[in-house]
Amino acid sequence: IDNYTRKSGYAEDPVVWRARHQFHCIYNHAQDRKSGYMRSLDGIHWKNEEGLPYDVSSTYYTDGSKNEWYKFERPKVLQDDLGRATHLSLALLDTAKGSDKGNDIHSSKNMILPLVTEKLVSIVGEEPITAQTRRISIRIQAEEGFDPQHDLDVASLWFGSDRVVNYGGGCRAIRSEAAGDDLIVHFEGANGLNRFDFDFKLLGQTNDGDLVLGYALLPGQSPTAACL
């Protein structure tokens, strides 16, 4: 229970999945009708990544309209062949539990939201990375439907600890070069490494303005550190 960020009320409905080198967990928080997200290399020691996976304002449509649901619960994910989450399934209710007495119109609903699928990112080289490391290079892998050499807005990319990257910090992309179909991007700056980090986060956008994210395992960390 100490892994959860929210201290009031109780956490519930955790969904755990494994993608590439790490475990992910999204959980519901019934009391304040919000949620939490955390990641783990071994399935035992977890780090919380700030922000809400979903809350009652999450329902937007492509035409700009939105629905206001009272409660979101019971998250589940759909995964691709690499384990990456592609869709989030949620149970919805438009009123508080206990107020929907007898025969009424307040039956629960189900909603499936498409997710931004993480890119395949790896750090180039085996040299240890410390908080003082100023230059880091990564490989962003091409895959079906994604051409990093032509699709990425390289100038928008940040890389480093999620604790700084999520707030517009970290290392900034300074140049890039092709490597077959993949793209090598070189970064420079303060990476924000702390004792909880087992990977670094890539954050940016495509040339069309779509969100791009990915996680790269740090050198020296094991991709098979699962507890089972």
Side-chain angles (χ1 to χ4, degrees):
I1 191 67
D2 290 339
N3 289 314
Y4 297 124
T5 55
R6 302 191 176 282
K7 301 304 181 185
S8 61
Y10 59 91
E12 62 176 6
D13 299 341
V15 55
V16 179
W17 71 99
R18 182 172 173 82
R20 303 182 68 221
H21 62 267
Q22 65 182 319
F23 295 93
H24 301 261
C25 177
I26 291 176
Y27 58 91
N28 191 56
H29 195 272
Q31 297 298 98
D32 58 8
R33 297 183 292 146
K34 296 186 183 296
S35 57
Y37 170 56
M38 54 190 184
R39 303 186 289 114
S40 173
L41 185 63
D42 59 9
I44 300 174
H45 305 93
W46 294 83
K47 60 178 293 186
N48 285 280
E49 189 159 344
E50 295 184 29
L52 302 176
Y54 60 86
D55 68 4
V56 294
S57 68
S58 292
T59 314
Y60 287 89
Y61 299 94
T62 54
D63 64 359
S65 61
K66 61 178 294 188
N67 277 345
E68 291 284 356
W69 295 95
Y70 181 80
K71 180 170 285 191
F72 289 69
E73 291 187 338
R74 295 168 177 80
K76 299 289 184 292
V77 297
L78 296 178
Q79 298 170 258
D80 66 11
D81 292 341
L82 297 177
R84 299 174 296 182
T86 61
H87 295 79
L88 175 66
S89 171
L90 294 166
L92 315 176
L93 195 64
D94 59 4
T95 187
K97 289 181 179 178
S99 65
D100 51 342
K101 304 294 186 181
N103 296 320
D104 54 38
I105 61 172
H106 299 290
S107 56
S108 62
K109 315 295 192 295
N110 177 256
M111 179 173 67
I112 298 179
L113 297 171
L115 301 176
V116 176
T117 303
E118 64 177 284
K119 304 305 181 186
L120 302 176
V121 182
S122 58
I123 292 174
V124 176
E126 299 296 330
E127 290 295 318
I129 291 176
T130 70
Q132 286 69 48
T133 301
R134 298 291 298 179
R135 295 189 176 185
I136 306 172
S137 298
I138 68 170
R139 177 185 287 265
I140 304 175
Q141 186 175 323
E143 52 185 315
E144 183 177 357
F146 175 63
D147 179 354
Q149 296 178 23
H150 297 94
D151 295 345
L152 279 179
D153 177 4
V154 174
S156 74
L157 300 178
W158 294 90
F159 188 70
S161 172
D162 61 83
R163 292 195 175 189
V164 294
V165 169
N166 288 344
Y167 293 94
C171 300
R172 196 69 188 264
I174 55 174
R175 60 187 176 90
S176 63
E177 61 202 44
D181 293 332
D182 301 340
L183 185 68
I184 304 296
V185 183
H186 304 280
F187 291 84
E188 184 174 325
N191 60 56
L193 180 71
N194 63 77
R195 64 187 181 91
F196 301 105
D197 288 325
F198 53 84
D199 60 8
F200 274 173
K201 184 173 185 176
L202 174 72
L203 197 60
Q205 65 181 23
T206 67
N207 289 318
D208 293 330
D210 295 326
L211 178 66
V212 170
L213 65 90
Y215 295 96
L217 189 66
L218 289 169
Q221 297 285 357
S222 171
T224 58
C227 60
L228 298 178

